[in-house]
Amino acid sequence: MNREGNLTMISDYRNKFVTPEIAAAKAVQSGDWVDYGFGAGFPELMDKALAGRKGELKDVKIRGGLVIRPRIEVVECDPEQYSFSYYSWHIGDYERKLQSRGLCQFIPMILRSLPELYRKHIRVDVAFVPVSTPDDNGYCGLGISNYAWRTIFENARTVVFEINEHLPKLHGVDGSHRVHLSEADFIVEGEHEPLPLRTYREPSPIDVEIARHVVKEIPDGAVLSLGVGGVPFTVAKMLAESDLKDLGCHTGTISDAFLALYRAGKLTNRLKEIDTGYSTWNLAMGSQELYNWLDEEPMLFHPADVNYVHSPERISRMKRVISINGGVELDLMGQENAESAGSRQLSGTGGQLDFLEGAFRSEGGKGFICLASTHKKKDGTLKSNIVPFVPGGSVVSAPRSMIQYVATEFGVAKLSGLSLRERAEAMISIAHPDFRDELGRYARENFG
């Protein structure tokens, strides 16, 4: 936006522009539920301003999730939780640290159901919505976190837009990723820290072996939904170096994995039955290069809310949908724990079930759960990640009836259509050899 256009736009809505401190004072009351959003989009200025009201407010509950910045001010300033308590839809690295200090409570949910939760089951009083710099017409992009923001602020008592000068300005297909200044009760702006980046460790040799098995199952024209982590990133790297062509993107989180595919000329979205020519996503999380890509080439993308992106029915209308996600452990029936170590919450269900179901219903689609066959315990001994049964206290994130393919470094097991005994045999075949006898004994005693 040029300076003259920006000044005209601000003049039109000048009564809504306030300092973060005034917005926090006018918007939030004791006992309120305040939504911060999800992922790398974060209301930095409003968080600091609200923290400044510590002691003045009582029992304000903050909702967020998958926070990748190093600090939430309202949490850190009030460890006694007199004024503020924090709730997470999906535990991220920083939130795990808060959880260990007793400063983060987890709320289970499936992402596709989040809009209905806000419409019918839970209360939101105040929404702090991070938005990009407005254009000449007063429209702002939702940056790197579309989330369920429109549903949330349409059901909120008070809406605060926080303009972040670093956010990508894309508005999406037919305005799917934008809001208008007129929709806010208050608007704040100011200087922000650089956007939070998400980096990942180099893939391990086991990640590479798992990825090799999965890549063999991916056809030309596949529409990819990639989780984040070592295996999905390695799959993308291998696909970028493969002979496959015309790959597509319909994913919950777009990441540097898709940027690598685009740079290799593999990501064309040309064969998608829906959003032909566009990469479809709900959140963006990765490097500054990724955020620059979204900002500089907005015509390549259809960012949209979870109603759209996570709908299994919509996903199923595309052919060859390939969903790749990680798991913590699976049992011999195929039940998957993707999010906990016993009763300790590690992450969340998120959108995994949405894409497993969508891939299952897609013609030629395949849903993969990928995990190393073992992990090392603190004493250095190996423990199998394929277990006789999901232990008590742990979470069943996906039922056995929804698990189609499981991949470890020892191969791929296809479970759909198999009996309990056949499932156990398939799971044992991809378990670590040191644990196959033990698993086999359990299977014979329990599955005939």
Side-chain angles (χ1 to χ4, degrees):
M1 170 186 281
N2 60 45
R3 178 173 173 78
E4 182 179 346
N6 187 55
L7 290 173
T8 300
M9 177 277 303
I10 291 177
S11 177
D12 290 342
Y13 300 99
R14 63 187 179 277
N15 62 314
K16 297 188 177 196
F17 278 79
V18 297
T19 66
E21 292 74 20
I22 291 175
K26 291 189 174 182
V28 183
Q29 305 167 11
S30 291
D32 276 354
W33 280 95
V34 180
D35 271 83
Y36 271 27
F38 202 80
F42 187 84
E44 176 187 329
L45 303 182
M46 289 307 304
D47 175 48
K48 291 177 182 176
L50 186 58
R53 298 189 67 194
K54 176 192 173 183
E56 175 190 345
L57 294 169
K58 184 177 181 180
D59 193 30
V60 173
K61 296 167 282 289
I62 316 296
R63 271 189 299 245
L66 201 59
V67 173
I68 65 172
R69 57 183 286 111
R71 186 177 176 87
I72 303 175
E73 295 294 339
V74 291
V75 178
E76 298 290 356
C77 80
D78 187 21
E80 299 81 17
Q81 300 179 78
Y82 173 84
S83 292
F84 309 112
S85 53
Y86 179 74
Y87 295 74
S88 176
W89 291 118
H90 195 107
I91 303 293
D93 294 342
Y94 168 64
E95 288 153 308
R96 274 193 289 277
K97 296 175 184 176
L98 293 180
Q99 188 176 230
S100 68
R101 296 162 56 196
L103 298 178
C104 176
Q105 299 188 52
F106 174 71
I107 321 170
M109 64 93 177
I110 300 171
L111 263 171
R112 72 170 180 251
S113 301
L114 198 62
E116 291 305 316
L117 275 171
Y118 279 98
R119 291 185 189 110
K120 299 175 181 175
H121 302 285
I122 63 177
R123 188 177 104 226
V124 53
D125 297 299
V126 183
F128 291 165
V129 188
V131 299
S132 73
T133 304
D135 66 12
D136 292 347
N137 297 310
Y139 285 103
C140 306
L142 286 167
I144 51 180
S145 183
N146 193 301
Y147 186 43
W149 268 129
R150 178 155 294 282
T151 298
I152 291 170
F153 75 66
E154 285 179 352
N155 286 276
R157 180 190 72 231
T158 308
V159 178
V160 180
F161 285 176
E162 178 174 322
I163 296 172
N164 186 324
E165 70 278 16
H166 300 309
L167 285 173
K169 300 176 186 64
L170 72 169
H171 288 183
V173 176
D174 297 327
S176 64
H177 196 61
R178 75 182 182 193
V179 294
H180 194 266
L181 292 178
S182 62
E183 298 178 279
D185 296 295
F186 301 104
I187 304 164
V188 303
E189 58 184 348
E191 187 176 345
H192 289 76
E193 296 174 7
L195 295 177
L197 309 180
R198 184 66 186 265
T199 58
Y200 298 91
R201 61 172 172 77
E202 283 296 309
S204 69
I206 289 177
D207 291 336
V208 172
E209 284 303 309
I210 296 171
R212 281 179 181 152
H213 293 306
V214 173
V215 166
K216 292 176 184 176
E217 302 281 344
I218 300 176
D220 281 339
V223 178
L224 301 175
S225 166
L226 301 178
V228 291
V231 172
F233 276 66
T234 308
V235 167
K237 183 177 179 181
M238 290 181 179
L239 290 174
E241 298 168 354
S242 74
D243 294 329
L244 293 179
K245 57 183 183 295
D246 287 325
L247 300 174
C249 167
H250 187 107
T251 192
T253 301
I254 195 167
S255 64
D256 288 82
F258 289 99
L259 177 56
L261 289 170
Y262 176 74
R263 286 175 169 170
K266 304 293 181 180
L267 186 66
T268 69
N269 293 295
R270 189 176 67 85
L271 302 181
K272 287 174 65 178
E273 288 79 10
I274 297 174
D275 293 340
T276 308
Y278 296 109
S279 288
T280 306
W281 51 273
N282 176 252
L283 304 173
M285 196 176 299
S287 68
Q288 187 59 49
E289 286 183 294
L290 173 73
Y291 303 148
N292 292 344
W293 182 41
L294 303 180
D295 194 42
E296 293 165 3
E297 303 192 67
M299 73 295 298
L300 297 177
F301 306 104
H302 184 179
D305 66 19
V306 291
N307 278 324
Y308 188 96
V309 178
H310 286 255
S311 163
E313 189 279 330
R314 181 170 285 104
I315 296 167
S316 72
R317 286 157 53 194
M318 294 178 286
K319 298 177 181 177
R320 301 173 298 276
V321 173
I322 305 294
S323 172
I324 301 173
N325 281 288
V328 175
E329 61 188 353
L330 285 96
D331 70 17
L332 292 179
M333 294 188 293
Q335 295 185 119
E336 181 214 8
N337 167 19
E339 58 188 285
S340 78
S343 59
R344 180 171 178 253
Q345 195 70 34
L346 299 175
S347 55
T349 304
Q352 190 177 112
L353 271 175
D354 308 337
F355 286 92
L356 281 172
E357 182 178 346
F360 182 83
R361 294 166 61 179
S362 162
E363 182 180 333
K366 299 175 183 179
F368 292 89
I369 300 299
C370 303
L371 76 171
S373 65
T374 62
H375 69 272
K376 274 191 178 182
K377 297 193 289 186
K378 290 182 179 179
D379 63 7
T381 59
L382 287 181
K383 185 179 186 303
S384 180
N385 291 329
I386 294 175
V387 294
F389 50 86
V390 174
S394 292
V395 174
V396 175
S397 308
R400 60 192 181 180
S401 52
M402 193 49 65
I403 302 297
Q404 193 176 2
Y405 291 87
V406 181
T408 73
E409 69 270 31
F410 295 104
V412 176
K414 183 179 181 184
L415 302 186
S416 49
L418 300 184
S419 68
L420 292 180
R421 179 176 179 178
E422 291 165 340
R423 283 170 170 260
E425 291 171 351
M427 292 297 295
I428 292 167
S429 74
I430 60 170
H432 192 284
D434 290 356
F435 297 95
R436 290 179 186 174
D437 287 346
E438 174 190 343
L439 293 167
R441 283 194 296 273
Y442 181 89
R444 289 190 295 272
E445 291 170 3
N446 290 276
F447 303 129

